[in-house]
Amino acid sequence: MAKFKYYYDLMSQPSRALWIALRLGKIPYEDCPVALRKSEQLKPEYQQINRFQKVPALVDGDFHLGESVAIVRYLADKGQFSEQLYPKALEQRARVDEFLEWQHLGVRLGCATYFLDMWLLPMNGIKPKPSAEKAAILSKNMESQLKILEEIWLKDTPFVVDNKMTVADLFGACEVEQTKLAHYDVGKKFPKIAEWMQRVREQASPHYDAAHEFIYKKSGMKPSNSKL
Amino acid sequence: MLNWLCKWFHSDSRALSDSCGPKVKMSLRFYYDLMSQPSRALYIIFKISNVQYQDCPVALRKGEHLTEEFKENINRFQRVPCIIDDGYKLAESIAILRYLSAKGKIPEHLYPKYFVEQARVDEFLEWHHITLRVTCSLFFRTIWMDPLLTGVRPSNEKIQHLTQHMEANLDIVENVWLQKTDFLTGQRLTAADIFAACEIEQIRLADYDVRIKYPKIKAWLKRVRAGCNPHYDNAHQYVYKISGTAPHAKL
């Protein structure tokens, strides 16, 4: 089977989740990094790759596909994705899908907005640093989603769907990792999330640490036993 | 109009546990409120697909989804839509669509089985959450719902900001998704069109007329409505009535 091309930047949360999943599943792909910091995704050449000018994206022969979760499903149906990470059994798959659909407006929107407004946009001079009042609203919005992760998804199980790590955990954890850049320490208020992230990291080793190298370095919040 | 709205807001409803019909026992229970965009999308899809379900309307305006009973017995996330299929509880409209499709309940023309075609529909469904859905809902909530609940209207600056964000995404629907095709993911109506149309219909409530700036969206909405009627109009009866902007053609 010819290799597909995977376009990504490890600074993008869903890019990392998919990158870790591909590596864990030992799926061969052609490595196509895209530097968001250089706005490579906005160049006309990249528009030919992905008309939405975002990462991650996949090109498989002449089939172009954006959206990380759509890519997971496409590869799974083609037999190019780990079955442990995206189960085939109807009810288990639906449960993973339930998380993947929830996370967009749940943990992803909350965490990504926090990261963007607290760190990325002020750092690049696009927006002023948020006032104390605005910062409080941003953390309240994010924490209302983290609370759902802590109290519902992780209520009785070590992973968000039952007892085994799936791609849902990778998507969730990569979003939460991103908030480290804005110096948010999730373990202070959400002990279950902190423990869960440690489990995900161990299960996804060594790719999890490799994907998060920049975040660990930049935030100074490297897990104590990381070999990086 | 306002009178009618107040009445609707405060109208009596049966207790939730009694409100599931019809009398025949079905193994699939569908919980929804036609004021919720993804609820409407699933409702229309179920009707077109002739999915047999036990009808379980949930009145969000009365907080029926916020009770402990709802959390415990129906949906731990306290939202609609959701289903209980022979004891299996599932939330998230798109997860529900995929689950029922895998069970053979959704026709292929609405959600393709062939993975390449399905990926195209998935691409839209995954795209729409933090783009079209979030900006249209925020527009609707801030301009229509919040003032109704709090009596406070948003500032002009705030409205302008919300409009800008929403239109950035309507631009993508108009110029990218509908660039070359009659429907979002090709020449045929799929679940993607139904989800998208239900989000866009919602902003009628905040007096936004999408037809003014977006000729392609305007023509596409007509096609989606025609392809889904009479279920489309039934699903939008409250949106039409409350906004006072029903399409001219009869229900």
Side-chain angles (χ1 to χ4, degrees):
Chain A
M1 209 179 290
K3 282 187 200 172
F4 57 86
K5 293 181 175 178
Y6 179 50
Y7 294 83
Y8 68 96
D9 184 335
L10 291 180
M11 276 301 287
S12 129
Q13 307 87 308
S15 284
R16 283 200 299 277
L18 202 42
W19 187 86
I20 296 168
L22 292 174
R23 298 237 160 177
L24 282 174
K26 299 190 171 66
I27 308 298
Y29 63 88
E30 198 179 320
D31 194 55
C32 304
V34 178
L36 300 181
R37 67 186 185 284
K38 294 186 199 147
S39 299
E40 285 179 0
Q41 82 280 17
L42 301 178
K43 290 184 178 164
E45 301 94 274
Y46 190 74
Q47 197 173 14
Q48 301 302 312
I49 307 291
N50 179 7
R51 57 197 168 141
F52 303 103
Q53 303 190 279
K54 289 175 168 182
V55 290
L58 164 137
V59 176
D60 189 14
D62 56 8
F63 184 71
H64 293 235
L65 188 65
E67 291 300 325
S68 49
V69 177
I71 294 172
V72 169
R73 291 177 185 151
Y74 170 84
L75 291 175
D77 285 344
K78 259 192 101 190
Q80 289 178 286
F81 205 82
S82 153
E83 216 181 299
Q84 281 84 44
L85 291 178
Y86 192 54
K88 274 210 163 56
L90 177 70
E91 292 188 0
Q92 270 174 292
R93 175 167 291 194
R95 198 59 74 212
V96 173
D97 280 345
E98 187 183 50
F99 182 89
L100 294 175
E101 298 306 321
W102 171 79
Q103 54 95 27
H104 290 286
L105 296 185
V107 75
R108 171 154 176 72
L109 188 66
C111 291
T113 309
Y114 186 86
F115 152 77
L116 282 171
D117 284 1
M118 295 294 286
W119 190 77
L120 190 73
L121 301 179
M123 192 189 69
N124 290 313
I126 297 167
K127 259 188 176 180
K129 215 171 164 10
S131 62
E133 195 192 354
K134 175 83 184 154
I137 295 172
L138 286 167
S139 69
K140 194 178 137 224
N141 288 344
M142 173 173 71
E143 288 177 349
S144 69
Q145 302 302 331
L146 292 172
K147 196 166 178 275
I148 297 174
L149 183 55
E150 173 98 0
E151 293 177 4
I152 302 181
W153 289 106
L154 294 170
K155 190 179 172 211
D156 308 307
T157 52
F159 294 99
V160 295
V161 178
D162 296 335
N163 297 321
K164 279 190 194 153
M165 185 178 80
T166 66
V167 73
D169 297 284
L170 296 175
F171 273 90
C174 288
E175 293 298 335
V176 181
E177 288 287 353
Q178 197 83 351
T179 64
K180 282 186 179 168
L181 290 170
H183 302 292
Y184 183 79
D185 183 357
V186 76
K188 281 188 181 159
K189 286 191 189 169
F190 302 100
K192 278 189 177 176
I193 295 183
E195 286 164 24
W196 161 73
M197 287 178 72
Q198 190 54 34
R199 280 192 291 274
V200 176
R201 185 177 157 247
E202 280 161 18
Q203 296 271 313
S205 172
H207 313 296
Y208 190 92
D209 277 355
H212 289 96
E213 187 178 355
F214 176 81
I215 289 180
Y216 293 165
K217 208 161 96 184
K218 195 80 188 169
S219 66
M221 291 162 83
K222 187 173 75 172
S224 52
N225 56 351
S226 166
K227 291 199 180 78
L228 288 173
Chain B
M1 212 287 284
L2 201 65
N3 246 340
W4 182 85
L5 188 61
C6 287
K7 257 192 230 159
W8 172 75
F9 234 85
H10 299 292
S11 62
D12 288 334
S13 76
R14 293 157 293 169
L16 194 65
S17 48
D18 302 332
S19 64
C20 290
K23 299 283 177 273
V24 190
K25 188 100 182 121
M26 302 283 180
S27 65
L28 177 68
R29 296 162 77 101
F30 175 40
Y31 297 85
Y32 66 98
D33 183 334
L34 291 180
M35 282 299 281
S36 130
Q37 306 90 308
S39 284
R40 282 201 298 276
L42 271 191
Y43 170 92
I44 295 167
I45 291 167
F46 286 5
K47 292 286 178 187
I48 296 177
S49 311
N50 200 21
V51 170
Q52 299 298 308
Y53 60 83
Q54 202 171 335
D55 194 51
C56 303
V58 179
L60 298 180
R61 67 190 187 279
K62 297 200 202 81
E64 289 180 352
H65 56 307
L66 300 175
T67 63
E68 274 307 305
E69 191 220 337
F70 193 89
K71 187 177 183 173
E72 201 57 41
N73 301 327
I74 298 165
N75 178 5
R76 56 190 171 149
F77 303 104
Q78 300 186 284
R79 292 167 157 191
V80 291
C82 61
I83 58 166
I84 303 181
D85 184 25
D86 218 358
Y88 179 74
K89 295 176 194 165
L90 189 64
E92 290 297 331
S93 51
I94 296 165
I96 294 169
L97 169 70
R98 292 174 47 77
Y99 168 81
L100 291 175
S101 159
K103 283 191 81 177
K105 308 263 189 200
I106 309 289
E108 277 199 49
H109 65 88
L110 284 185
Y111 191 65
K113 285 240 186 308
Y114 176 50
F115 73 101
V116 176
E117 285 171 26
Q118 189 179 94
R120 206 40 86 215
V121 176
D122 280 344
E123 187 183 43
F124 179 85
L125 293 174
E126 298 306 318
W127 173 81
H128 100 293
H129 292 282
I130 57 169
T131 52
L132 186 68
R133 169 155 174 72
V134 81
T135 56
C136 288
S137 331
L138 210 57
F139 185 88
F140 149 76
R141 280 201 343 230
T142 317
I143 296 175
W144 187 81
M145 204 163 79
D146 294 350
L148 201 66
L149 299 174
T150 63
V152 184
R153 292 196 164 278
S155 65
N156 285 342
E157 198 193 348
K158 177 84 184 163
I159 294 175
Q160 207 182 356
H161 185 74
L162 290 167
T163 310
Q164 209 178 27
H165 279 251
M166 181 175 73
E167 289 184 345
N169 289 300
L170 291 171
D171 285 349
I172 298 175
V173 174
E174 176 91 3
N175 299 324
V176 184
W177 289 106
L178 292 172
Q179 190 189 8
K180 296 178 201 153
T181 50
D182 283 350
F183 293 95
L184 294 169
T185 61
Q187 290 305 109
R188 285 188 326 193
L189 174 89
T190 70
D193 299 285
I194 300 173
F195 274 91
C198 289
E199 293 298 335
I200 294 175
E201 291 290 359
Q202 193 83 351
I203 55 182
R204 283 172 183 268
L205 292 166
D207 288 329
Y208 186 89
D209 188 349
V210 75
R211 295 168 300 182
I212 296 170
K213 282 194 191 172
Y214 299 101
K216 281 188 177 172
I217 293 181
K218 176 185 171 184
W220 160 78
L221 274 175
K222 273 191 182 167
R223 285 192 286 272
V224 178
R225 179 173 171 243
C228 296
N229 257 348
H231 314 299
Y232 192 89
D233 281 351
N234 286 338
H236 288 94
Q237 54 184 304
Y238 299 111
V239 173
Y240 294 162
K241 194 163 178 184
I242 296 168
S243 66
T245 63
H248 295 304
K250 271 192 170 175
L251 279 187

